[in-house]
Amino acid sequence: MSDLAELYQEIILDHNKRPRNYREIPSCTCCAEGRNPLCGDEVKVFVSLDGERLSDVAFQGQGCAISRASASLMTGKTKGRTTAEARGISGKVRDMLLGSEASPPPGLGDLAALSGVRKFPARIKCAMLPWRALEAALDGQRDVTTE
C-alpha cells in the first residue's frame, strides 16, 4: 500500500464524507474547542456525562479529512465509555500516532485506520486535535490548541 493510500484509507474517507455524531449537544455537561493554528482545523467537542459515563459525544467544526474522520471515529469509540476508558483510548491513539511501535495498540478497532497518519508528521496534529479537545472538555477546560 502506498503511503498516501495508507493515509487516506476508505474508512477515513467515509467518516470524512459522512461524519458520525456531527451535531451540537445543547444541554451537554462539558465541551471544549480545539484549534490547530498551523492548518486552521477547528473542532468543538460536546460531552454529556451520566456520572462517570459518556452518555453522548458529538462534534462540530471544520477541517481536513484527517481531522474530521478522527473526530467522527472518536465519538463512536468513546460514547458509552467511562471517562477513564475514554482517556485510555485517547492515550492509545496518541501512542499509535507518536510512538515507535509498527502496529497499532490492540483494542482500537476502526481507529487503527489512523495509523498511517504517523508517516506524515504535519498531519499528526490534525488527527490529535479532537482527542485533545475531548480531554480538555473532560478536564473542564474550554479551549485547547495543538501548539
Side-chain angles (χ1 to χ4, degrees):
M1 185 181 294
S2 76
D3 286 348
L4 279 178
E6 191 173 347
L7 177 63
Y8 292 108
Q9 293 184 34
E10 186 61 34
I11 194 163
I12 302 284
L13 298 174
D14 182 51
H15 276 268
N16 176 50
K17 290 179 185 171
R18 290 178 290 281
R20 282 62 158 184
N21 302 301
Y22 187 84
R23 59 186 161 78
E24 183 177 345
I25 302 175
S27 58
C28 65
T29 308
C30 52
C31 66
E33 292 184 55
R35 284 185 279 306
N36 183 346
L38 293 177
C39 67
D41 287 352
E42 296 178 351
V43 65
K44 187 170 185 177
V45 174
F46 305 91
V47 178
S48 289
L49 292 171
D50 181 10
E52 286 296 311
R53 191 160 304 278
L54 284 67
S55 59
D56 199 4
V57 184
F59 80 101
Q60 287 187 322
Q62 56 188 2
C64 67
I66 299 299
S67 176
R68 286 173 52 98
S70 182
S72 177
L73 288 161
M74 177 194 72
T75 62
K77 190 67 174 179
T78 58
K79 189 184 296 187
R81 307 279 182 148
T82 66
T83 56
E85 290 169 335
R87 289 178 194 276
I89 295 167
S90 182
K92 285 183 176 183
V93 170
R94 183 176 22 267
D95 290 347
M96 175 178 68
L97 294 172
L98 300 172
S100 59
E101 295 294 323
S103 300
L108 288 180
D110 288 347
L111 286 167
L114 293 169
S115 65
V117 173
R118 72 175 171 200
K119 291 182 179 177
F120 301 87
R123 308 306 300 274
I124 292 173
K125 290 181 178 180
C126 302
M128 282 304 304
L129 182 63
W131 295 92
R132 293 191 67 186
L134 174 65
E135 290 181 5
L138 295 176
D139 290 340
Q141 300 172 1
R142 300 285 299 173
D143 297 296
V144 66
T145 71
T146 56
E147 298 306 308

